[in-house]
Every structure is written in C-alpha cells, then in structure tokens.
C-alpha cells in the first residue's frame, strides 16, 4: 500500500512537472482557434454587409468583388479545418491527462500498448520538443498486453523526462530519444535510448533506490526510476 501511495505521489509530481508544458500545448491550438473564429466572424460580417436587399421582389445580390469572394471561399474552409484540428488536439491532451491522473490500482487487465505510449508522448511532448527529437518505432504486431493500467505510461513519462533532462545537461543543441517496441514469442520489449550523458558509474547501483536522486530539491523525487523498475 505504501508503494502504491508513493507511485500515486510520483505520478502527480510528474504531472505537476509537465503542467507548464501541457498548458502551452493546449494554449497553442486555443490561440489559433481564437484567431480563426475572429476571422470567420469578420468574414461573416463582410458577407452580411454585402447583401443587397434594395428590391424585395428580386433575389438578394451579393456586392463583393471577385478577389474578395475567392479569398473567402478559399480561406474559410481552411480556418474551419484548422479549428477542428485544434479542438481535436486539445481533446487528445485532456484525454491523456484524465487517463494518466486516474488512481493507480493493482487490477491486472488488458491494456493497449499504443494508447499507453500515446499518453506518455502527448504529456511529455512539450518537455522534449525543444531539446530532442522523439522517435517512436513499432516493430511488433502485439498491441495489447495484460498489466496495470497507467503503470506503463507513467514509467515511459519518467524515462522520457529523464532522457530530456540528461540531454539538456550535455548542452548539445539537439538531442535524440528513440523508443522502440519489439516482441518475440513470449515477450514484448519497449526500449528507450537517448544520447545524453548517461549515468555515472559510481551511482549506477543506487539509481533504483527509492528517494535517491541527483536532481535539485523540487525537481526530482527519487521515485521515477524505482517505479519504472517495479
């Protein structure tokens, strides 16, 4: 029970660490949705203002020149499509947050590997995108396993965040994080590799100890890697 509570705490800490990035990921599509709605509002006002109803016995006429009509005809569908994409992106992020924040349980059930990976990548994206290229490669036909829901995405988030921090500490302009999924007859393997500085040899035996961390206070809890191992 204590370990499960520690896992929930670590999960909330990870979500708190990612909160600023998640807010940015939501704000970006929200901003261009707002811009598109303002454009659509202006375009609608132009159309309404151009309607000529001087003769009620005849069909209304639209007093707009051809370039303006062509512009509205081309840009309005694009603005609508971009807004729909933005709303879908926001919905994807919210689903990821709700899924990840769900309390950890010991129940073993079928879980989707791709969904767990998508959740981890969605929530960690802003943490990584200015530091490294994150590449996910599926080389397995197995998409579902039995396990504890959210445990996999939590482990992956911890590993991705650790990888991005390790790359940032090297000072390199652009790093790389590779997530590879493979399988054989009995097992499925998820491997994550980065080109950061690596773990110093003198602390390698301790990195899976609970509450051991090399990070500053408030940055690391010393629970991420132990939970990954568990």
């Amino acid at each position: 029970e204590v370990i499960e509570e520690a896992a929930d705490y670590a999960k909330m800490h990870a979500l708190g660490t990612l909160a600023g990035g998640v807010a940015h990921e939501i704000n970006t599509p929200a901003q261009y949705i707002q811009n598109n709605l303002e454009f659509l509002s202006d375009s609608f006002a132009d159309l309404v203002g151009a309607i000529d109803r001087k003769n009620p016995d005849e069909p209304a006429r639209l007093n707009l020149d051809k370039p303006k009509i062509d512009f509205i005809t081309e840009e309005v569908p694009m603005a609508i499509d971009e807004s729909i994409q933005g709303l879908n992106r926001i919905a994807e992020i919210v689903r990821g947050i709700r899924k990840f924040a769900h309390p950890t349980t010991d129940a073993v059930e079928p879980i989707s590997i791709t969904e767990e990976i998508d959740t981890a990548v969605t929530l960690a994206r802003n943490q990584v995108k200015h530091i490294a290229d994150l590449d996910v490669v599926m080389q397995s036909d197995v998409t579902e396993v039995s396990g504890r829901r959210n445990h996999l995405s939590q482990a992956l988030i911890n590993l991705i965040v650790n990888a991005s921090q390790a790359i940032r500490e090297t000072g390199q302009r652009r790093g790389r994080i590779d997530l590879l999924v493979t399988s054989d007859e009995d097992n499925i393997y998820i491997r994550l590799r980065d080109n950061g500085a690596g773990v110093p040899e003198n602390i390698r035996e301790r990195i899976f100890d609970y509450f051991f961390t090399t990070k500053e206070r408030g940055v690391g809890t010393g629970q991420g890697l132990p939970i990954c191992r568990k």
Side-chain angles (χ1 to χ4, degrees):
E1 183 179 349
V2 173
I3 297 299
E4 290 300 331
E5 289 179 359
D8 281 334
Y9 172 79
K11 182 165 63 175
M12 291 301 102
H13 182 274
L15 194 55
T17 300
L18 300 172
V22 170
H24 178 77
E25 287 290 302
I26 290 176
N27 184 66
T28 299
Q31 184 61 57
Y32 65 73
I33 289 170
Q34 178 181 347
N35 294 340
N36 284 336
L37 287 174
E38 290 174 354
F39 165 71
L40 292 172
S41 177
D42 291 342
S43 297
F44 181 73
D46 289 343
L47 289 173
V48 171
I51 295 175
D52 182 357
R53 295 192 180 93
K54 291 181 180 178
N55 190 340
D57 297 327
E58 296 181 2
R61 298 175 60 86
L62 191 62
N63 293 327
L64 281 179
D65 56 29
K66 187 177 184 302
K68 183 68 172 180
I69 293 175
D70 290 343
F71 175 77
I72 291 176
T73 302
E74 181 178 352
E75 294 295 326
V76 165
M78 291 174 58
I80 293 173
D81 287 344
E82 284 183 357
S83 298
I84 292 173
Q85 291 174 17
L87 289 170
N88 288 338
R89 175 69 184 135
I90 291 172
E92 176 190 1
I93 295 170
V94 171
R95 282 195 300 270
I97 294 172
R98 292 181 63 183
K99 183 175 181 295
F100 183 69
H102 194 275
T104 302
T105 70
D106 273 333
V108 176
E109 57 186 321
I111 59 173
S112 167
I113 295 172
T114 53
E115 285 184 8
E116 294 292 299
I117 292 174
D118 287 345
T119 295
V121 171
T122 294
L123 296 183
R125 180 180 283 112
N126 198 72
Q127 182 87 5
V128 173
K129 69 180 182 181
H130 300 298
I131 299 171
D133 296 316
L134 174 57
D135 188 26
V136 178
V137 177
M138 291 286 297
Q139 293 183 354
S140 171
D141 294 330
V142 180
T143 59
E144 189 174 86
V145 296
S146 294
R148 295 175 176 85
R149 190 168 299 279
N150 291 350
H151 282 209
L152 178 55
S153 58
Q154 182 176 359
L156 290 174
I157 286 174
N158 289 337
L159 291 173
I160 292 171
V161 170
N162 276 2
S164 68
Q165 291 170 342
I167 292 170
R168 183 171 54 200
E169 289 172 0
T170 66
Q172 59 183 296
R173 179 173 296 181
R174 191 76 184 169
R176 183 171 185 83
I177 302 172
D178 295 309
L179 195 158
L180 174 65
V181 182
T182 60
S183 61
D184 57 26
E185 292 182 359
D186 301 312
N187 300 288
I188 185 162
Y189 305 94
I190 302 177
R191 297 178 174 91
L192 192 141
R193 175 182 296 178
D194 66 77
N195 62 344
V199 180
E201 188 172 350
N202 63 320
I203 64 169
R204 288 180 185 176
E205 293 183 359
R206 301 184 61 194
I207 61 173
F208 293 111
D209 294 345
Y210 271 95
F211 308 113
F212 173 77
T213 181
T214 60
K215 298 183 177 68
E216 299 175 1
R217 180 183 295 273
V219 177
T221 65
Q223 298 181 67
L225 289 179
I227 288 172
C228 290
R229 189 178 197 179
K230 177 177 179 292

